[in-house]
Structures are given as C-alpha cells and as structure tokens.
Amino acid sequence: MAGALIRKIIHVDMDAFYASVEQRDNPHLRGKPVAVGHGARRGVVAAASYEARQFGVRSALPSVTALRQCPDLIFVPPRFDVYRAVSQQIHGIFAEFTDLIEPLALDEAYLDVTENRAGIETAWLTAKAIRARILEETGLNASAGVSYNKFLAKLASGRRKPNGQFAIQPHEGEAFVEALPIAKFHGVGPATAEKMHRLGIHTGADLKAWSLSDLQARFGKSGGWYFNIARSVDQRAVNTSRERKSSGSETTFNEDLRDADAIRQGVLAMADDVWAWCEKSGRRARTVTVKIKWADFQQSTRSRSLAQPVVGRAQLHEASLALIDSVLPAPKGVRLVGVTLSNFTVDLAKVEAEPTLHLESDAA
Ligand SMILES: [Mg+2]
C-alpha cells in the first residue's frame, strides 16, 4: 500500500435509534420491550429496543410473531419528524469536530477526522468525545467504529454495541477481514452472498484466494471492489456532497420496512427535505421521482411530471404519496426511499446567491 493515504475514519451509529428515542421521550417505556411499528394484524416491527431483542424481536418481524415471542411487547408508532430532528442535532455535533461528514441514514454517518477541528490527537479519543457530546445533548447512546477506511470503520461500529466503540488498526485490518463471514461484508447483499457461497467463498480469506480477473469474470464491475476489500483496501473518501438538502434526498431505514404507513412517513420526510432545499435555493421543478430500494437491493423508481412546477410542500407531498402508493403494499422489505425533483425552471438570481449547492440528483 505504498503511497496510499491513511485516513482516520469514524463510523458513528446510534443504538436502537427509533426505539431509544421513544424510550427517552416516554419514561413509561424505559426498561421495557418496545417495538416501533404498528401492532395491527398485518403490521411489521420497524425497530426494537434492546429489551425486546432479548425475546428475539427483530426488525421486519411480523407484529403477530413478535407478540407471540414477547407478550409484553409495547408497540409505538414511528415519529420520523422527531427522528429527523434528533439526527440534525447529531450532525451539528459532528460539525464541531470535522467538516468531512457523510450521512448514511438518520442515525449513521462516516466522519473523516484525519484532521479534526477539536485538536484531539487520536481518532479513538475523538470518537469518545463525539459519543459523550451526543449523550450530553440528546440523552442517547451511540456506538462507534474507528479505522483507516470506511469499510473497516463500519464493520467496527457493530463490535461493541450498545454504547461502545471498537478500533481496527492498520496492522489488524487484513486479519480482521480474513476471518469475516462474507455475508457481513458491506456491499455484499443476500443474493451475492448466496452466489459466493455456491462458489465456496464463505470468509474474507476465501475471497482473498480469488484473482482479480476471476472475480471480474464472475461478478463484473463489482469484482474489483471485492478484490480490494478482501485485502481491506478501500480508498473511498468520505463523501460530503451527499448533502441531504438538495434536489434529491434519500434515507436508508434503520431496519427494512414493510409497514405502509411507516414507508409513507419516510417518503414524506424526504419530500420535506427536498422542499426545504427548494425554498432555500429558489428552484422549482416539474418532475417528482420516488425511488425505492428493496431488501434484496433491487431498485424501483416511479416518476410523474406535472404540467407546472411544484409550488408548495403539500403538492410535493401529494405527488410523492401517489408515487409510493403505486408500489404498496410492499411486496418485500423496503431498505431505502428517496424523493427527487427534476426538470427545473431556473431562478438564476437565487442560484447565483447559493453557489455551493449541489444540483445533481441521485437519480441522475
Ligand atoms: Mg443504528
């Protein structure tokens, strides 16, 4: 890896985020098994508190099954507006330490602290300081993974959950990845994991035994990525342009969702983000696109072009809901939803006043 840049990356991940927010805001829920989601006959668990997890209650579990496993389970409906507000608070805390922030979901982000604003010497101590600030300001626990690239930092953050942190040092990366089951690799979805299992690839060490050309022959463009991560090489920079307030906004749910109301709320939250951007930038657009990434990593998009630009938040809500409703009830779990506006009518005066806005949409 001569000449390769060694970064200091932290992956911060809130613990049982939705459920923890509910327990924070309602003292009656503390210490009890809580499921965020709808307890109705066709409902599905969106997130579970640690108390509920002890009974095997997990995301995507049908509510009836969850109740059978844990008769005292308390269902609370999701409040995405609150989760978004907490997420913004957390991002404010990240910004006290670095500008290089890449949000992955409401409760998860990569931070590059190679040079950190607080002048803290190590990434380990920086992660501790960030987690302490999050607890102080939000009353919530976060876990963190610390390493020299994003791939390893994300793997590390799960190792000491809840309320812990774990580091993978540069000399430890290769051994860590060699021992790792292939299904745990970020970027290896269930379908790819199955294909790898059929090829006899079960761990990072198995993957490492494959040549670049063989991997490319079997997996196409992804072959290069698999070749690199088998050696714990990941040169991706923390991508700060993944700004939430842009013409496109998307979120990966904490847990795959099937509940129609929860999915619709997620879409509305993204529409709100996009509308906030419209108001700030003075841009208006005619085409609304809703993107859905399913639990099996397949993707669907639904678009609708209006005769006139969208002029208000309610109108964007209405268009976005009509689009998401066209794929509901969800035939499988929903991993991610996004809302994007395109076909702009340009307001040049306002655009010039906001030269740093990112106008590219994820759908591009
Ligand atoms: Mg989390």
Side-chain angles (χ1 to χ4, degrees), residues 87-334:
S87 182
Q88 279 169 11
Q89 265 184 301
I90 294 164
H91 282 218
I93 293 168
F94 294 157
E96 294 170 11
F97 294 85
T98 179
D99 285 333
L100 302 178
I101 303 163
E102 178 180 343
L104 295 178
L106 287 181
D107 73 322
E108 243 185 274
Y110 290 120
L111 314 182
D112 184 328
V113 297
T114 310
E115 291 177 33
N116 76 78
R117 181 167 284 154
I120 301 172
E121 197 158 326
T122 67
W124 178 261
L125 292 174
T126 310
K128 284 204 149 181
I130 290 170
R131 290 173 47 232
R133 284 280 297 118
I134 290 174
L135 179 62
E136 175 187 51
E137 199 165 311
T138 70
L140 298 166
N141 285 325
S143 294
V146 180
S147 198
Y148 56 97
N149 64 41
K150 296 204 288 192
F151 177 70
L152 291 173
K154 185 160 167 82
L155 287 171
S157 67
R159 285 288 162 131
R160 290 289 181 267
K161 265 185 170 300
N163 197 22
Q165 63 182 59
F166 186 77
I168 302 170
Q169 306 286 349
H171 66 276
E172 300 166 332
E174 290 215 52
F176 187 90
V177 167
E178 281 175 13
L180 197 71
I182 211 72
K184 297 239 158 127
F185 278 58
H186 185 54
V188 174
T192 305
E194 205 173 292
K195 183 173 172 185
M196 287 189 176
H197 288 159
R198 282 199 302 272
L199 294 168
I201 303 172
H202 298 279
T203 65
D206 296 337
L207 186 61
K208 203 176 182 178
W210 283 60
S211 71
L212 176 59
S213 56
D214 284 346
L215 285 172
Q216 283 169 335
R218 295 281 187 168
F219 299 100
K221 256 169 54 181
S222 305
W225 166 250
Y226 300 144
F227 182 83
N228 281 332
I229 56 174
R231 287 152 186 80
S232 62
V233 171
D234 172 11
Q235 297 288 5
R236 293 172 304 157
V238 165
N239 178 10
T240 55
S241 67
R242 211 189 267 192
E243 272 261 356
R244 295 184 48 114
K245 297 247 183 322
S246 74
S247 66
S249 189
E250 58 182 46
T251 188
T252 304
F253 293 118
N254 232 4
E255 331 276 358
D256 294 341
L257 296 183
R258 291 196 74 153
D259 184 88
D261 285 340
I263 295 165
R264 294 171 106 233
Q265 281 206 49
V267 167
L268 289 180
M270 295 305 102
D272 281 347
D273 258 12
V274 173
W275 185 250
W277 176 86
C278 288
E279 290 197 314
K280 189 175 155 201
S281 66
R283 307 261 299 191
R284 298 293 182 267
R286 281 195 311 116
T287 303
V288 183
T289 301
V290 166
K291 167 174 145 187
I292 306 103
K293 201 188 268 179
W294 305 97
D296 59 6
F297 288 84
Q298 287 192 327
Q299 201 168 294
S300 308
T301 55
R302 296 287 182 273
S303 285
R304 185 172 150 206
S305 290
L306 310 176
Q308 300 293 325
V310 175
V311 291
R313 200 167 74 130
Q315 197 186 7
L316 182 57
H317 276 185
E318 192 185 322
S320 305
L321 282 181
L323 292 168
I324 192 70
D325 283 349
S326 71
V327 302
L328 296 177
K332 46 196 170 184
V334 173

